[in-house]
Amino acid sequence: MPSSPDRLRASRPTVRAVLSALTGPVPVSRSQAIGAAERLAAVTSLLSSLEHLTGPEHKRTGGLNDWALARHGHARYGRPLRKLLDAVADERTTRVLHAARVAASAALLLPGDSRRRGAANLFLGVSGALLYPTHRYGTDGSDQASGMVQTATGLARLVPSPAAQDALLWYVAIQSNLSYAVSGWVKLLGRDWRDGSALTGVMRTRTYGHEGVWRLARRHPRAARTLAHGVLALECLFPVLYLKGGLLARPVIGAAAAFHVANGFVMGLGRFVPAFTAMHPMVAYTSAPRSHPAVAGRDDRMPAALGLLLAGTAAVAATVAAHRRLRATDHAYGGTVTTRHGNELAHDGTATGQGSGPVTVLVHGLGALPAHFSWYTRALGAGGHQWLAYSRAGYGASRRHAGTPYHLGESVDDLVDLVEAAVPAGRQVSLVGHSLGGEIARRAAVRLGGRVHSVVYVDSSHPEQLDRSGQQGRNARHVEEMIRTTSVSLRLGLGILMQTPDWVENLPASVRSRAMAEYADPRVWTAALREWRAAERDFRSFQGPLPPLDTHALVLSAQHTVDRDPDHLLMHKDLADAHPPGRTVRSAVIESADHDGILTDPRFAAEAARHLVGFLDDTTARNTDGQHPAPAEQEAR
C-alpha cells in the first residue's frame, strides 16, 4: 500500500493537468478567429431581424420605435442623412432590409472561407447601422456590438494583407476590453455595486428582473453580494488576461461567456450571448503569446499605434480642458462679492443706482449655469427691468473658499450677502430661482424680509420632494451616481468627448461657447455633487410646513415635470400657498416644456419670460401707484 508521500507525488501530475486545462491561452489562428466571430455575430443579426419581421408592433403608431416620434431625435443631422433615414424607416424598405439580413446571416452560418463572406459581413454591418436609429429601443447594445464585429470581419475577409487583418482583429479585441473595463469602473462609482446590493436591485426591476432570482438573492444576501462583487471584478480586471502570456485567458473568457449566458437566461438579454461572445475569438487570438504556433507571424503594431494615438489624444484633451477652464473662469465683466464664508461670487447684470423697480436676481439650478437664463435676461432687458445673475461658489468664475463642510445654508448666506452688496441700497429684489435655485431663493427671501419684492419659482425644487414623491425618492441615488460619474470622467480628461447638449445649442449664439466651456469644466460637477449630497440630507430631514413669505409670487411649472410626477404639481401649489392672501400669487404651466427647456428652449422660454415680465410689470405698477395689494390671484395655463 503506497505511503502518504507517494500518494501526494502521484496526485501532482493530476493537479498540474487540471490547472493546465483551466489556465493558459486559448490558441486560435487568424482564420479561426475570423470564422468564429462572424458566425456568432451572424446569429445575433439573424435573431434581431427575425424579431423585427415577426413582431413589428413596436414600429406602429405609439410604439417604442415609432419613427414619427423617433425621427425628431435626429433633427440635428444634415438633410441628406435625414432623408436616408426616412427612406430606411419606410415599412417596405425595413422589411426588405431585414429579409436580406436574414438571408445573409443564414449564409454566414454555413461552412466556407471565401471573400463573398466578407461582402455579406459588410452588408450586415452597414445595414445594421442604418436600421439602428429607426428601432434602437430593444437592442441593449447587442446590435451595435455585432455590427462592429461584422464590419471588422468583412474588411478582414476582403483585404489581402495579413497585417491589415491583424489590425482589424486587434481593433475588435481592444473594443471588447474597453467595453468590459469601462462598464466595470463605471459600476464601481455606484454605491449599490460597491456594497453588493446591485444584483438584488436589478432583479427587482420590471425590465430586467427575475422574481425567482430576486427571491433567492433576498434569501442569501451574502452569496448575492459575492456574485455582484465577482461581476465587478471580472469587468474591471478583464484586461489581465493579456498578462503572463495569456495565463488567465481561459478563466477570464470562460467567466465572461458564462456571465452573458446568465444575462440571457435571467434578464432576457438573449442576443447578448452571441453578440458579445463574438468578440471573444479576437481576444483569444490577440492574447496568445506570439511564440505560440497558432498565432505565428501575428502583427502586433496596432496596440503600439493605439498607445501613441492615446498619448496624442491625452495631450489634446489636456489642452482643450485648460482652454475651457480659462474660458469658464474668465470674468471680464460684472463684479465679485466676497461673502461671510469667504466665497467669491462672480456676478453680471444691468443693475445700477438709477431705477426704482425691483432688481431681478437669477439663481441657477444644480449643475446649471447663469447662461441658462439667457432668454430671460433678454426679455427682462427689453421690458426695462434690471437684472443680476451670478454663479454659486464653485461654478464658473466663482470660487469656494469656505473651510467648513458644505450645507445648503451656505448658499443661502451667499445669496443674502450678494443682494446686500451688489444690489443698490434701497432697491427691492425679485428672486427668480430654477430647480434647486428656487429653494435657495425661497430660503433667502425669508432672511431678506422686506428687501424682497417677489419670488419666482421656475420648475422649482421643494424641500419635501424626496419624501412626498416616490418617483424622486427612488431616483435620488441614480442622480448622485450620474453626477459623480460625470465629475470623475471630466477630471480624467474625457471632456473632449462630451457632445454639446441640446440645451446649449438652444441658447443664444453669443453665449454658447462660454456655456459649453463651463458645462464641461469638472469644477461645475464637483460643486453639483457637493450640493446634491447636502440637498439630499437637508430634504430628508425637513420638517414642514413651509414658512410664510409676505411677498408676491409667481410659480412656473414645466408640463413634462408635472405630467410625469403629479406630486410635484401639488408641491408647486404648496410654494404658492406659502405666500399669504393680499399678495399677487400666480401659477402657470408652460405647455410641452421640460425641466431645462422651460429656460433654454426659445419657444418655451419666451412663454415663461412673458409670464415673468407681465408679473413684474403688474406688481411693480401697483406698488408704484401706492395701491393696496390686490387679492391673491391664481392662474393656470
Side-chain angles (χ1 to χ4, degrees), residues 4 54 99 115 160 243-244 259 263 275 295 330 336 343 360 377 403 414 436-437 445 493 503 512 527 547 574 625:
S4 295
T54 58
R115 291 169 63 87
L243 302 177
K244 296 288 185 180
F259 169 67
N263 281 343
V295 298
D330 182 30
T336 302
N343 299 329
T360 301
T377 57
D414 285 354
L436 181 63
W503 68 263
R512 291 174 193 162
D574 280 356
D625 294 342

CSV table of all heavy atoms in Angstrom, one decimal, residues 4 54 99 115 160 243-244 259 263 275 295 330 336 343 360 377 403 414 436-437 445 493 503 512 527 547 574 625:
chain,number,residue,atom,x,y,z
A,4,SER,N,1.7,8.0,2.3
A,4,SER,CA,1.1,9.3,2.1
A,4,SER,C,2.0,10.1,1.1
A,4,SER,O,1.5,10.8,0.2
A,4,SER,CB,0.9,10.1,3.4
A,4,SER,OG,-0.1,9.4,4.1
A,54,THR,N,-41.2,39.4,-37.3
A,54,THR,CA,-42.3,38.7,-36.7
A,54,THR,C,-43.0,39.6,-35.7
A,54,THR,O,-44.1,39.2,-35.2
A,54,THR,CB,-41.8,37.4,-36.1
A,54,THR,OG1,-40.8,37.7,-35.1
A,54,THR,CG2,-41.3,36.5,-37.1
A,99,ALA,N,-35.3,41.1,-44.4
A,99,ALA,CA,-35.3,39.9,-45.1
A,99,ALA,C,-33.9,39.5,-45.7
A,99,ALA,O,-33.4,38.4,-45.6
A,99,ALA,CB,-36.3,39.9,-46.2
A,115,ARG,N,-14.2,35.1,-50.1
A,115,ARG,CA,-14.3,36.6,-50.0
A,115,ARG,C,-15.7,37.0,-50.0
A,115,ARG,O,-16.0,38.1,-49.5
A,115,ARG,CB,-13.5,37.2,-51.1
A,115,ARG,CG,-12.0,37.0,-51.0
A,115,ARG,CD,-11.3,37.5,-52.2
A,115,ARG,NE,-11.5,38.9,-52.5
A,115,ARG,CZ,-10.7,39.9,-52.0
A,115,ARG,NH1,-9.7,39.6,-51.2
A,115,ARG,NH2,-10.9,41.1,-52.3
A,160,PRO,N,-6.2,41.8,-48.5
A,160,PRO,CA,-5.3,40.6,-48.7
A,160,PRO,C,-4.1,40.6,-47.7
A,160,PRO,O,-3.5,39.6,-47.5
A,160,PRO,CB,-4.7,40.9,-50.1
A,160,PRO,CG,-4.8,42.3,-50.3
A,160,PRO,CD,-6.0,42.8,-49.6
A,243,LEU,N,-1.8,39.3,-19.5
A,243,LEU,CA,-0.6,39.2,-18.7
A,243,LEU,C,0.0,37.8,-18.7
A,243,LEU,O,-0.8,36.8,-18.9
A,243,LEU,CB,-0.8,39.6,-17.2
A,243,LEU,CG,-1.3,41.1,-17.0
A,243,LEU,CD1,-1.6,41.3,-15.6
A,243,LEU,CD2,-0.4,42.1,-17.6
A,244,LYS,N,1.3,37.6,-18.5
A,244,LYS,CA,1.9,36.3,-18.4
A,244,LYS,C,1.6,35.4,-19.6
A,244,LYS,O,1.3,34.2,-19.4
A,244,LYS,CB,1.5,35.7,-17.1
A,244,LYS,CG,1.9,36.4,-15.8
A,244,LYS,CD,3.4,36.3,-15.6
A,244,LYS,CE,3.8,36.9,-14.3
A,244,LYS,NZ,5.2,36.8,-14.0
A,259,PHE,N,-21.1,34.7,-17.9
A,259,PHE,CA,-21.8,35.9,-17.5
A,259,PHE,C,-22.9,36.3,-18.5
A,259,PHE,O,-24.1,36.6,-18.2
A,259,PHE,CB,-20.8,37.1,-17.3
A,259,PHE,CG,-21.4,38.4,-17.1
A,259,PHE,CD1,-22.2,38.7,-16.0
A,259,PHE,CD2,-21.2,39.4,-18.1
A,259,PHE,CE1,-22.7,40.0,-15.8
A,259,PHE,CE2,-21.8,40.7,-17.9
A,259,PHE,CZ,-22.5,41.0,-16.8
A,263,ASN,N,-27.0,36.4,-18.2
A,263,ASN,CA,-27.8,37.5,-18.6
A,263,ASN,C,-28.9,37.2,-19.5
A,263,ASN,O,-30.0,37.6,-19.4
A,263,ASN,CB,-26.9,38.6,-19.2
A,263,ASN,CG,-26.1,39.4,-18.2
A,263,ASN,OD1,-26.4,39.3,-17.0
A,263,ASN,ND2,-25.1,40.1,-18.6
A,275,ALA,N,-23.8,38.2,-29.3
A,275,ALA,CA,-23.2,39.5,-29.7
A,275,ALA,C,-21.9,39.8,-29.1
A,275,ALA,O,-20.9,40.2,-29.7
A,275,ALA,CB,-24.2,40.6,-29.4
A,295,VAL,N,-0.5,31.5,-33.6
A,295,VAL,CA,-0.5,32.9,-33.9
A,295,VAL,C,0.8,33.4,-34.5
A,295,VAL,O,1.2,34.6,-34.4
A,295,VAL,CB,-0.9,33.8,-32.7
A,295,VAL,CG1,-2.3,33.4,-32.2
A,295,VAL,CG2,0.1,33.6,-31.6
A,330,ASP,N,-12.9,83.0,-16.6
A,330,ASP,CA,-12.7,84.4,-17.0
A,330,ASP,C,-13.9,85.2,-16.7
A,330,ASP,O,-15.0,84.9,-17.0
A,330,ASP,CB,-12.4,84.4,-18.5
A,330,ASP,CG,-12.1,85.9,-19.0
A,330,ASP,OD1,-11.6,86.6,-18.2
A,330,ASP,OD2,-12.4,86.2,-20.2
A,336,THR,N,-17.4,91.1,-8.4
A,336,THR,CA,-17.2,90.0,-7.5
A,336,THR,C,-17.6,90.4,-6.1
A,336,THR,O,-17.3,91.5,-5.6
A,336,THR,CB,-15.8,89.5,-7.5
A,336,THR,OG1,-15.4,89.2,-8.8
A,336,THR,CG2,-15.6,88.3,-6.6
A,343,ASN,N,-16.3,83.0,0.3
A,343,ASN,CA,-16.6,82.6,-1.1
A,343,ASN,C,-16.6,83.8,-2.0
A,343,ASN,O,-17.1,84.9,-1.6
A,343,ASN,CB,-17.9,81.8,-1.2
A,343,ASN,CG,-17.9,80.5,-0.4
A,343,ASN,OD1,-16.8,79.9,-0.2
A,343,ASN,ND2,-19.1,80.1,0.0
A,360,THR,N,-34.2,92.0,-10.6
A,360,THR,CA,-34.4,90.6,-10.7
A,360,THR,C,-33.1,89.9,-10.6
A,360,THR,O,-32.1,90.0,-11.3
A,360,THR,CB,-35.0,90.2,-12.1
A,360,THR,OG1,-36.2,90.9,-12.3
A,360,THR,CG2,-35.3,88.7,-12.2
A,377,THR,N,-33.0,87.0,-19.6
A,377,THR,CA,-32.4,88.3,-19.4
A,377,THR,C,-32.6,89.2,-20.6
A,377,THR,O,-32.7,90.4,-20.5
A,377,THR,CB,-30.8,88.1,-19.2
A,377,THR,OG1,-30.3,87.4,-20.3
A,377,THR,CG2,-30.6,87.4,-17.9
A,403,GLY,N,-14.1,77.0,4.8
A,403,GLY,CA,-13.3,76.0,5.4
A,403,GLY,C,-14.2,74.9,6.1
A,403,GLY,O,-13.6,74.0,6.7
A,414,ASP,N,-24.7,83.1,1.1
A,414,ASP,CA,-24.0,83.7,-0.1
A,414,ASP,C,-25.0,84.6,-0.8
A,414,ASP,O,-24.7,85.7,-1.3
A,414,ASP,CB,-23.4,82.7,-1.0
A,414,ASP,CG,-22.1,82.0,-0.4
A,414,ASP,OD1,-21.7,82.5,0.7
A,414,ASP,OD2,-21.6,81.1,-1.0
A,436,LEU,N,-33.2,73.7,-7.9
A,436,LEU,CA,-32.7,73.9,-6.6
A,436,LEU,C,-32.5,75.4,-6.3
A,436,LEU,O,-32.6,75.8,-5.1
A,436,LEU,CB,-31.3,73.2,-6.4
A,436,LEU,CG,-30.7,73.3,-5.0
A,436,LEU,CD1,-31.6,72.7,-3.9
A,436,LEU,CD2,-29.3,72.7,-5.0
A,437,GLY,N,-32.2,76.2,-7.3
A,437,GLY,CA,-32.1,77.6,-7.2
A,437,GLY,C,-33.4,78.2,-6.6
A,437,GLY,O,-33.4,79.2,-5.9
A,445,ALA,N,-35.2,84.5,0.7
A,445,ALA,CA,-36.3,85.5,0.9
A,445,ALA,C,-36.8,85.6,2.3
A,445,ALA,O,-37.1,86.7,2.8
A,445,ALA,CB,-37.5,85.1,-0.1
A,493,GLY,N,-10.1,63.9,-17.9
A,493,GLY,CA,-9.8,64.5,-19.2
A,493,GLY,C,-10.7,64.0,-20.3
A,493,GLY,O,-10.3,64.3,-21.5
A,503,TRP,N,-29.5,71.7,-25.0
A,503,TRP,CA,-29.9,72.9,-24.3
A,503,TRP,C,-28.9,74.0,-24.6
A,503,TRP,O,-29.2,75.2,-24.7
A,503,TRP,CB,-30.1,72.7,-22.8
A,503,TRP,CG,-28.8,72.4,-22.0
A,503,TRP,CD1,-28.4,71.2,-21.6
A,503,TRP,CD2,-27.9,73.4,-21.5
A,503,TRP,NE1,-27.2,71.3,-20.9
A,503,TRP,CE2,-26.9,72.6,-20.8
A,503,TRP,CE3,-27.8,74.7,-21.5
A,503,TRP,CZ2,-25.8,73.2,-20.2
A,503,TRP,CZ3,-26.7,75.3,-20.9
A,503,TRP,CH2,-25.7,74.6,-20.2
A,512,ARG,N,-23.2,80.5,-26.3
A,512,ARG,CA,-23.0,79.0,-26.4
A,512,ARG,C,-21.6,78.6,-26.0
A,512,ARG,O,-21.4,77.6,-25.3
A,512,ARG,CB,-23.4,78.6,-27.8
A,512,ARG,CG,-24.8,78.7,-28.1
A,512,ARG,CD,-25.1,78.3,-29.5
A,512,ARG,NE,-26.5,78.7,-29.9
A,512,ARG,CZ,-26.9,78.8,-31.2
A,512,ARG,NH1,-26.0,78.6,-32.2
A,512,ARG,NH2,-28.1,79.2,-31.4
A,527,ALA,N,-19.0,70.8,-7.8
A,527,ALA,CA,-19.9,71.6,-7.0
A,527,ALA,C,-21.3,71.0,-7.0
A,527,ALA,O,-22.0,71.0,-5.9
A,527,ALA,CB,-19.9,73.0,-7.5
A,547,PRO,N,-42.4,78.0,5.8
A,547,PRO,CA,-42.7,79.3,6.5
A,547,PRO,C,-43.4,80.3,5.5
A,547,PRO,O,-43.1,80.3,4.3
A,547,PRO,CB,-41.3,79.8,6.9
A,547,PRO,CG,-40.4,79.1,6.0
A,547,PRO,CD,-41.0,77.8,5.6
A,574,ASP,N,-48.0,74.1,-3.0
A,574,ASP,CA,-47.5,74.5,-1.6
A,574,ASP,C,-46.7,75.8,-1.7
A,574,ASP,O,-46.8,76.6,-0.8
A,574,ASP,CB,-46.7,73.4,-1.1
A,574,ASP,CG,-47.6,72.2,-0.5
A,574,ASP,OD1,-48.8,72.4,-0.5
A,574,ASP,OD2,-47.0,71.2,-0.1
A,625,ASP,N,-47.9,102.9,-7.8
A,625,ASP,CA,-49.1,103.7,-7.7
A,625,ASP,C,-49.6,103.9,-6.3
A,625,ASP,O,-50.6,104.6,-6.1
A,625,ASP,CB,-50.2,103.2,-8.6
A,625,ASP,CG,-49.8,103.2,-10.1
A,625,ASP,OD1,-48.9,104.0,-10.4
A,625,ASP,OD2,-50.4,102.4,-10.8
